[in-house]
Amino acid sequence: MAAGEHLSKRTDRIADFRQYRHAVQSGAMCYSVRQSGVIETLSLSSRDTGRWIIPKGNIDEDERPYKAAKREAFEEAGVVGKIKKLPIGCYSYVKSPSKPVYLVAVFLLRVTDEEDEFREKGQRIRQWLPPSEAAALVADPN
């Protein structure tokens, strides 16, 4: 079984994580291949601290994790496209000591269009960068 398949099976069993005080979320690593052939990735500012992040959020009940990632990408950044069904990786973070540990499964989304109107427009800044620059921006100092 490939690593992505194993992670996908685990993220589909959300109740398993919640019983151990984990919250499972889905995130989208959004990328675009420009006409010149250059690949760029999308970085977003968070609403509370202004740090650079990828679109991510909670998985609705009975929602597949990859579909949640696609939904979050549209709601937070106004991007649509083709998403891979298996995660490319995951990471965890803690918002505060009183909250659970968040486990985020990350899915690759090839952006085909950017909408002008979306739920969180005006609350975030979106920018397209080469992957190495985007990685440096989203790196968590903790």
Side-chain angles (χ1 to χ4, degrees):
M1 175 182 304
E5 292 176 76
H6 176 70
L7 183 58
S8 184
K9 288 182 186 297
R10 296 299 305 155
T11 57
D12 284 345
R13 295 175 51 194
I14 293 168
D16 291 351
F17 288 101
R18 288 191 178 139
Q19 98 183 40
Y20 299 109
R21 297 242 338 120
H22 286 80
V24 179
Q25 296 185 323
S26 283
M29 175 59 65
C30 303
Y31 76 98
S32 179
V33 180
R34 302 299 181 196
Q35 288 182 345
S36 64
V38 172
I39 295 175
E40 292 184 319
T41 56
L42 178 67
S43 294
L44 288 179
S45 61
S46 67
R47 291 186 296 183
D48 53 355
T49 65
R51 288 186 323 132
W52 294 102
I53 62 169
I54 63 170
K56 67 173 174 16
N58 294 326
I59 303 168
D60 292 338
E61 192 171 326
D62 297 324
E63 184 177 33
R64 303 293 292 187
Y66 72 92
K67 289 186 178 182
K70 188 173 184 176
R71 175 180 49 77
E72 290 292 337
F74 179 73
E75 290 176 1
E76 294 184 3
V79 294
V80 294
K82 177 88 171 139
I83 196 157
K84 296 287 185 182
K85 293 181 179 181
L86 295 177
I88 59 169
C90 67
Y91 67 94
S92 61
Y93 71 98
V94 177
K95 282 189 176 183
S96 75
S98 64
K99 297 211 176 198
V101 174
Y102 289 85
L103 175 67
V104 182
V106 180
F107 296 84
L108 196 59
L109 182 129
R110 182 173 184 166
V111 175
T112 56
D113 199 17
E114 290 182 63
E115 300 293 329
D116 292 329
E117 297 299 322
F118 54 97
R119 178 192 253 175
E120 296 184 14
K121 180 180 181 177
Q123 299 175 36
R124 300 180 185 273
I125 298 168
R126 62 182 176 187
Q127 66 175 337
W128 290 96
L129 298 166
S132 60
E133 289 181 36
L137 281 180
V138 301
D140 189 348
N142 300 320

